[in-house]
Amino acid sequence: MTTEKLERNLSQKTYELGMTVWYNKVDFQRKGKESLFNKGIIQLGDLIHCDFGVRFLGLSSDIQKLFYLPEKCEADIPESFKIFLKQVNHLQIILSNCFSSEYKGDEILRNARQQKQKKGINGKIYSHPLGYYGHGSAPIIGRYNQQNGVPGPLNCV
């Protein structure tokens, strides 16, 4: 299977379910490859990254998922991935507990970052709203390369 074929399959399934695709990107990371965003043939041992947006009922979503394909000699995912997943899930809970209409996006980001640091979680926060187009028009909460705040009017809503 290639990244391109997986993109086509995801799009086809989305259309079969009555939705449309507005964004679809599949890439992978592999031991020995320096790039984080590789395209081509997917192999056992690859970490597959799907960045996928669908439109349904007038809303446009943007979902990112990671999938690990164990190598033949592996009965389970590596222990480091289990630790990572536990931390990511904990960070999601921290961030969602910080959501409040009383705060701007940067304030939510700051509160969540303080809590994650207290818990010893090393991660980045990036969240944006659903909307009638792309990423919606409401506060952005961080970006992968802007962890101290995101300038601009979208962060002031």
Side-chain angles (χ1 to χ4, degrees), residues 121-146:
I121 297 173
N122 181 15
K124 294 185 178 185
I125 295 172
Y126 175 29
S127 179
H128 53 73
L130 286 173
Y132 296 110
Y133 59 88
H135 293 140
S137 55
I140 294 170
I141 303 169
R143 284 196 170 134
Y144 68 93
N145 61 346
Q146 291 176 305

Side-chain angles (χ1 to χ4, degrees), residues 4-155:
E4 293 79 7
K5 184 169 182 175
L6 185 51
E7 289 171 352
R8 286 191 302 273
N9 289 351
L10 286 169
S11 293
Q12 182 62 38
K13 186 63 174 179
T14 301
Y15 293 123
E16 288 172 8
L17 293 171
M19 299 177 279
T20 57
V21 175
W22 75 271
Y23 187 75
N24 184 1
K25 180 182 169 205
V26 176
D27 51 59
F28 62 84
Q29 294 177 25
R30 180 178 298 149
K31 288 179 189 174
K33 284 198 169 269
E34 288 186 30
S35 175
L36 296 178
F37 306 106
N38 297 287
K39 302 292 274 181
I41 298 172
I42 297 169
Q43 299 176 2
L44 297 178
D46 286 348
L47 181 64
I48 303 168
H49 169 245
C50 296
D51 190 355
F52 192 65
V54 299
R55 288 193 171 106
F56 186 64
L57 299 176
L59 294 175
S60 297
S61 71
D62 181 358
I63 303 162
Q64 293 195 37
K65 295 288 184 181
L66 293 173
F67 303 90
Y68 177 70
L69 290 176
E71 295 187 40
K72 287 183 180 181
C73 61
E74 294 176 309
D76 199 0
I77 63 173
E79 191 61 33
S80 59
F81 283 22
K82 291 179 184 181
I83 294 167
F84 170 73
L85 183 59
K86 185 177 178 182
Q87 287 185 352
V88 167
N89 289 340
H90 196 138
L91 182 54
Q92 287 176 321
I93 291 167
I94 288 171
L95 178 60
S96 62
N97 286 340
C98 289
F99 289 168
S100 171
S101 60
E102 298 174 24
Y103 297 119
K104 297 176 185 176
D106 282 350
E107 293 169 319
I108 294 169
L109 175 63
R110 183 174 49 254
N111 293 340
R113 287 188 71 221
Q114 288 172 352
Q115 289 183 39
K116 81 173 182 72
Q117 288 169 344
K118 286 179 188 175
K119 298 286 186 177
I121 297 173
N122 181 15
K124 294 185 178 185
I125 295 172
Y126 175 29
S127 179
H128 53 73
L130 286 173
Y132 296 110
Y133 59 88
H135 293 140
S137 55
I140 294 170
I141 303 169
R143 284 196 170 134
Y144 68 93
N145 61 346
Q146 291 176 305
Q147 291 295 289
N148 292 317
V150 180
L154 284 180
N155 225 12

